[in-house]
């Protein structure tokens, strides 16, 4: 069992300052006004998918749970806030004892989502919920964008494995999160050792062009690598002349050579030539791995090429052109008073400019057609219609401040495969289009 998500080997001491200042100033004002303890419901959703995307992928939930647990204001953090005069002493006293004690529900990690889907619902007092806005959004927006790109790439790759190798193209900590999200979306391995250490993701890697250039000639470089790593290693063959390098690689390693990697040139043409050459040399079992700034479109274009695996870096860790999922965290309902039994009142932003939202504490369900394929994302308030009973999408993540839904990363990865398979076939098309299923809203009698 993958135990990485059951407790990180490397922990951030506190996530409490992974936030925006206005969350603390809102807290101070609410404490002074006497409204801080009103029961509140916040929801994470996106108003639209990135242009041309057919579905979104929920990723980062496990990291959110860790962040909520580690959201603590220790003496150093309180000292920083005091020194800067960010909040008053009464607020500092309140923050010193902060522990999230509310409830969090949401789409399970790996599930797909659509515009308006209540991806995560955070419930508790206004004070304890408002502080989590930025850290939750920063995690979900980043990880979901990477997972969506990874999902598209894995669809394009079919049964061929994908290697995540984008660490050098992004922030050092972001690279670890990106590797985790890519694994959820369908990648099989990573080059990033920190991701392997934190999350148990299989790691791979052999050599770069620098290793070849270090030696007096290509043969010496190949011989050194084979002597160290064995005949099953992967030799990089595009430092000088590809055909000559392939011939030398097989001479050095024999037909047992594990793989060759091609990192430049017309990959479709070169892959065909290299495959023919390997076969002619008797290395029929030697695999071909291609890299070189691939995205889902480049991967799809190589579907007919004799390629065995793809390595993807820049385009993956930047969301293949969409580095954020554009999720927001909005107050959708709040109690009429501080009384724990006070009913919830739906609230929503009404301004123009495309930033309106739908008030009320929501549920979500996916309606299926007669063939068991998703045909609509139904989002509503009040009672769930009988026809959608048992199709609910939200699950408990935190109850009474206690995390209740940690799971192995492989289970999340498997969930995404199943969720994507339950969508119409057009979901995996790379051509531009609208969300593959519509979002329908159903309002209960009270709207709460």
């Amino acid at each position: 069992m993958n135990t990485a998500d059951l407790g990180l080997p490397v922990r951030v001491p506190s996530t409490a300052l992974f936030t925006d200042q206005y969350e603390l100033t809102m807290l101070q004002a609410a404490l002074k006004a006497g409204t801080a303890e009103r029961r509140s419901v916040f929801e994470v959703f996106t108003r639209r998918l990135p242009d041309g995307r057919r579905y979104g992928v929920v990723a980062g939930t496990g990291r959110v749970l860790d962040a909520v647990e580690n959201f603590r204001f220790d003496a150093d953090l309180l000292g920083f806030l005091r020194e800067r005069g960010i909040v008053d002493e009464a607020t500092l006293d309140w923050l010193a004892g902060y522990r999230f004690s509310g409830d969090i529900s949401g789409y399970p990690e790996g599930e797909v989502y659509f515009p308006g889907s209540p991806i995560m619902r955070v419930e508790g007092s206004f004070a304890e919920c408002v502080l989590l806005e930025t850290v939750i959004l920063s995690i979900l927006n980043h990880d979901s964008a990477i997972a969506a790109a990874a999902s598209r790439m894995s669809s394009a790759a079919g049964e061929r494995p994908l290697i995540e190798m984008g660490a050098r193209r992004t922030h050092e900590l972001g690279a670890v999160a990106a590797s985790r999200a890519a694994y959820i979306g369908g990648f099989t391995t990573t080059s990033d050792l920190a991701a392997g250490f934190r999350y148990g993701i299989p790691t791979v890697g052999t050599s770069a062009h620098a290793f070849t250039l270090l030696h007096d000639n290509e043969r010496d470089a190949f011989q050194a690598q084979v002597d160290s790593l064995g005949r099953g290693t992967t030799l990089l063959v595009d430092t000088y002349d590809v055909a000559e390098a392939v011939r030398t690689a097989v001479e050095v390693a024999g037909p047992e050579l594990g793989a060759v990697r091609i990192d430049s040139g017309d990959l479709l043409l070169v892959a065909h030539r290299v495959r023919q050459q390997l076969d002619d040399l008797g290395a029929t079992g030697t695999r071909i791995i291609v890299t070189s700034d691939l995205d889902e479109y480049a991967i799809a274009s190589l579907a007919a090429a004799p390629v065995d695996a793809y390595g993807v870096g820049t385009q993956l860790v930047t969301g293949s052109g969409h580095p954020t999922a554009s999720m927001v965290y909005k107050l959708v309902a709040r109690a009429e008073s501080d009384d724990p039994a006070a009913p919830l009142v739906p609230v929503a932003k009404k301004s123009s400019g495309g930033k309106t939202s739908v008030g009320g504490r929501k549920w979500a369900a996916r309606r299926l057609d007669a063939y068991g394929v998703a045909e609509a994302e139904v989002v509503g308030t009040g009672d769930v219609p009988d026809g959608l009973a048992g199709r609910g999408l939200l699950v408990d993540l935190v109850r009474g401040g206690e995390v209740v839904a940690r799971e192995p990363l492989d289970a999340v990865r498997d969930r995404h495969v199943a969720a994507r398979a339950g969508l119409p076939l057009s979901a995996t098309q790379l051509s531009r289009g609208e969300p593959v299923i519509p979002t329908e809203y159903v309002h209960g009698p009270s709207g709460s």
Side-chain angles (χ1 to χ4, degrees):
M1 182 179 71
N2 183 343
T3 60
D5 272 350
L6 305 182
L8 297 181
V10 175
R11 293 187 178 275
V12 176
S14 172
T15 54
L17 293 190
F18 292 169
T19 189
D20 290 304
Q21 180 169 315
Y22 79 167
E23 291 170 15
L24 300 188
T25 53
M26 282 192 287
L27 168 65
Q28 177 177 306
L31 288 170
K32 188 171 183 179
T35 53
E37 295 305 317
R38 285 189 177 182
R39 181 185 169 209
S40 299
V41 181
F42 287 81
E43 289 176 353
V44 175
F45 62 93
T46 185
R47 296 183 176 95
R48 64 192 65 83
L49 297 179
D51 186 36
R53 297 287 170 89
R54 304 296 182 90
Y55 61 93
V57 181
V58 179
T61 307
R63 297 206 308 120
V64 167
L65 299 180
D66 291 320
V68 171
E69 278 196 335
N70 288 325
F71 205 93
R72 305 282 188 270
F73 291 86
D74 59 26
D76 288 340
L77 302 190
L78 294 171
F80 165 78
L81 297 175
R82 180 179 291 109
E83 177 185 341
R84 297 291 182 93
I86 292 172
V87 290
D88 60 22
E89 285 298 323
T91 306
L92 291 172
D93 289 343
W94 189 93
L95 291 173
Y98 179 84
R99 300 290 186 275
F100 181 73
S101 63
D103 301 332
I104 300 178
S105 303
Y107 281 37
E109 193 166 19
E111 182 58 85
V112 296
Y113 70 87
F114 299 92
S117 297
I119 295 162
M120 186 169 286
R121 186 173 66 210
V122 182
E123 304 180 67
S125 70
F126 175 84
E128 64 180 341
C129 294
V130 74
L131 293 181
L132 299 177
E133 174 183 358
T134 300
V135 70
I136 287 177
L137 286 180
S138 65
I139 293 171
L140 293 181
N141 269 315
H142 174 270
D143 290 21
S144 296
I146 305 303
S151 180
R152 286 162 59 85
M153 292 174 188
S154 67
S155 291
E159 297 300 315
R160 296 171 178 175
L162 290 159
I163 306 163
E164 185 280 311
M165 47 195 303
R168 64 191 61 196
R169 301 294 188 231
T170 188
H171 184 280
E172 66 273 17
L173 297 181
V176 182
S179 181
R180 181 184 184 279
Y183 191 70
I184 291 170
F187 277 60
T188 54
T189 54
T190 179
S191 66
D192 190 75
L193 291 177
F197 176 61
R198 290 193 181 197
Y199 299 118
I201 301 169
T203 58
V204 295
T206 52
S207 67
H209 293 102
F211 187 77
T212 299
L213 296 170
L214 169 68
H215 293 80
D216 294 336
N217 54 64
E218 204 163 39
R219 179 178 295 274
D220 288 349
F222 290 172
Q223 189 66 61
Q225 184 173 328
V226 170
D227 288 346
S228 175
L229 301 178
R231 296 178 185 273
T233 191
T234 299
L235 295 177
L236 182 58
V237 295
D238 72 324
T239 305
Y240 306 116
D241 178 82
V242 172
E244 181 62 30
V246 170
R247 182 163 43 251
T248 302
V250 176
E251 288 175 359
V252 170
E256 300 84 12
L257 174 62
V260 295
R261 178 162 75 95
I262 307 166
D263 189 49
S264 59
D266 182 337
L267 297 179
L268 179 62
L269 175 63
V270 175
H272 277 286
R273 289 177 175 173
V274 169
R275 181 73 272 159
Q276 183 63 55
Q277 186 180 8
L278 287 170
D279 291 347
D280 290 345
L281 293 171
T284 56
T286 299
R287 297 176 303 125
I288 298 174
I289 300 170
V290 295
T291 52
S292 187
D293 215 23
L294 300 176
D295 62 9
E296 60 265 50
Y297 301 101
I299 291 169
S301 73
L302 292 168
V307 171
D308 297 283
Y310 306 94
V312 189
T314 303
Q315 293 301 317
L316 175 68
V317 298
T318 57
S320 195
H322 299 288
T324 177
S326 299
M327 295 177 187
V328 294
Y329 182 96
K330 296 298 181 183
L331 181 67
V332 297
R334 52 90 173 167
E336 293 179 336
S337 69
D338 291 347
D339 184 345
L344 289 173
V345 177
V347 294
K349 183 177 180 179
K350 298 298 183 184
S351 62
S352 60
K355 287 192 173 184
T356 58
S357 55
V358 178
R361 181 181 186 273
K362 299 175 197 69
W363 49 263
R366 193 161 295 149
R367 191 172 68 238
L368 308 182
D369 65 16
Y371 299 96
V373 177
E375 65 177 9
E377 191 88 338
V378 186
V379 177
T381 57
D383 296 332
V384 180
D386 291 340
L388 294 174
R391 300 298 311 169
L393 291 166
L394 276 72
V395 299
D396 290 344
L397 301 172
V398 176
R399 277 289 167 263
E402 297 295 325
V403 174
V404 297
R406 279 204 175 86
E407 56 187 342
L409 197 55
D410 284 334
V412 176
R413 175 185 168 87
D414 292 344
R415 179 182 294 118
H416 177 62
V417 172
R420 189 175 63 190
L423 298 176
L425 289 176
S426 57
T428 57
Q429 290 179 347
L430 296 182
S431 57
R432 293 187 177 275
E434 297 299 314
V436 71
I437 60 174
T439 302
E440 300 176 359
Y441 290 95
V442 177
H443 298 289
S446 67
S448 61

